Amino acid sequence: MSITSAMHSNGVRVITMNYPPVNALPVAGWFGIADAMNEATRDAKTRAVILRAEGRGFNAGVDIKEMQSTEEFNAILGANRGCFAAFKSIYECAVPVIAAVNGFCLGGGVGLVGNADTIVASDTAYFGVPEVDRGALGAATHLARLVPAHMLRTLYFTSKNISAQRLAELGSVAEVVSADKLDETAFSYANEIAAKDPRVIRAAKEALNCIDPIDVNRSYRFEQGFTFELNLGGVADELRDDFVATGA
């Protein structure tokens, strides 16, 4: 189980999540993403980053089983801080981040891709934020970057999923391809970016962040405050226990 980072000769850095069976990340995994992204920012040789995953799906969010097996609030505090650090590191990465999404992308996974610069996905990929069903809030900030306002509310309240193809129709997913072409497609975008002057690309990334209409870091942090309230009230524990009991 790991977060790995591999630098390719053309300046494309590949960060891979590998936490079987479903890439539900423990606290250490979220901080591992942040560390890898921050390393990419510091390394002047990095010209583009691909964020991808091994296994059945891209990301299943927070490891709820870890959270429910940890005493007091240490795991929820760790997960909230880790998710914030991971999402922030992607958004603030000095070079463009291409998310290559295979299979499911849920909860915190939407936080990762919502802060990426380009999204490519397999034709079986789907996205969802089931936080309401888990007694938490979060990643609405990032889902709002993928879908229009009323669709955001419908998906959030119902915990329904949305397909990669539908997101491509809405313009947030750049390309949908067969699973065997996913890495190749991600590299095609990364290579095209890496071939440009890195000074301009880094300036462009900073400029685009500065003209975003919503401060994603502050918006997500605000959401997390409600998650803390639900935890302190015992609601989140009830719903997470119910989820763990299903054996999913």
Side-chain angles (χ1 to χ4, degrees):
M1 296 191 289
S2 64
I3 303 293
T4 59
S5 179
M7 187 69 168
H8 292 249
S9 59
N10 61 349
V12 175
R13 183 184 293 272
V14 179
I15 297 172
T16 300
M17 299 175 285
N18 188 10
Y19 279 84
V22 294
N23 283 319
L25 299 189
V27 171
W30 298 106
F31 281 110
I33 291 174
D35 289 343
M37 288 290 169
N38 292 335
E39 180 187 10
T41 288
R42 292 190 300 268
D43 183 2
K45 294 180 180 179
T46 301
R47 295 183 169 218
V49 174
I50 294 172
L51 179 63
R52 62 180 298 280
E54 291 289 341
R56 290 161 47 190
F58 180 78
N59 188 282
V62 170
D63 186 347
I64 293 177
K65 293 177 182 177
E66 177 192 50
M67 191 172 295
Q68 294 311 94
S69 64
T70 303
E71 293 295 323
E72 299 179 341
F73 294 108
N74 292 330
I76 185 65
L77 288 169
N80 274 24
R81 289 170 180 163
C83 284
F84 182 80
F87 303 165
K88 184 174 186 287
S89 70
I90 292 171
Y91 185 75
E92 295 182 353
C93 184
V95 299
V97 177
I98 297 97
V101 181
N102 58 303
F104 46 81
C105 179
L106 303 172
V110 170
L112 299 175
V113 302
N115 271 3
D117 299 284
T118 299
I119 306 167
V120 295
S122 69
D123 51 15
T124 60
Y126 60 92
F127 304 71
V129 180
E131 313 306 87
V132 168
D133 288 346
R134 306 289 182 263
L137 298 180
T141 292
H142 312 93
L143 185 59
R145 295 166 67 81
L146 304 179
V147 301
H150 283 85
M151 184 175 289
L152 161 68
R153 289 169 178 260
T154 300
L155 292 172
Y156 204 72
F157 294 146
T158 63
S159 296
K160 287 184 177 179
N161 299 323
I162 185 168
S163 70
Q165 187 58 54
R166 183 71 179 111
L167 290 184
E169 293 167 2
L170 292 170
S172 49
V173 167
E175 198 166 342
V176 179
V177 297
S178 60
D180 62 321
K181 297 289 185 183
L182 184 59
D183 285 338
E184 176 186 332
T185 303
F187 265 102
S188 71
Y189 282 92
N191 289 336
E192 188 171 355
I193 293 167
K196 300 183 185 299
D197 190 313
R199 297 167 298 181
V200 179
I201 290 295
R202 286 184 174 235
K205 176 68 184 275
E206 184 176 357
L208 290 177
N209 280 4
C210 288
I211 63 172
D212 257 342
I214 295 176
D215 182 333
V216 297
N217 295 327
R218 180 179 297 177
S219 177
Y220 177 58
R221 200 63 173 155
F222 180 81
E223 286 186 76
Q224 287 187 317
F226 289 94
T227 295
F228 282 125
E229 287 185 10
L230 290 166
N231 273 275
L232 290 171
V235 177
D237 259 335
E238 287 179 31
L239 296 177
R240 287 197 301 262
D241 282 341
D242 289 344
F243 173 76
V244 171
T246 66

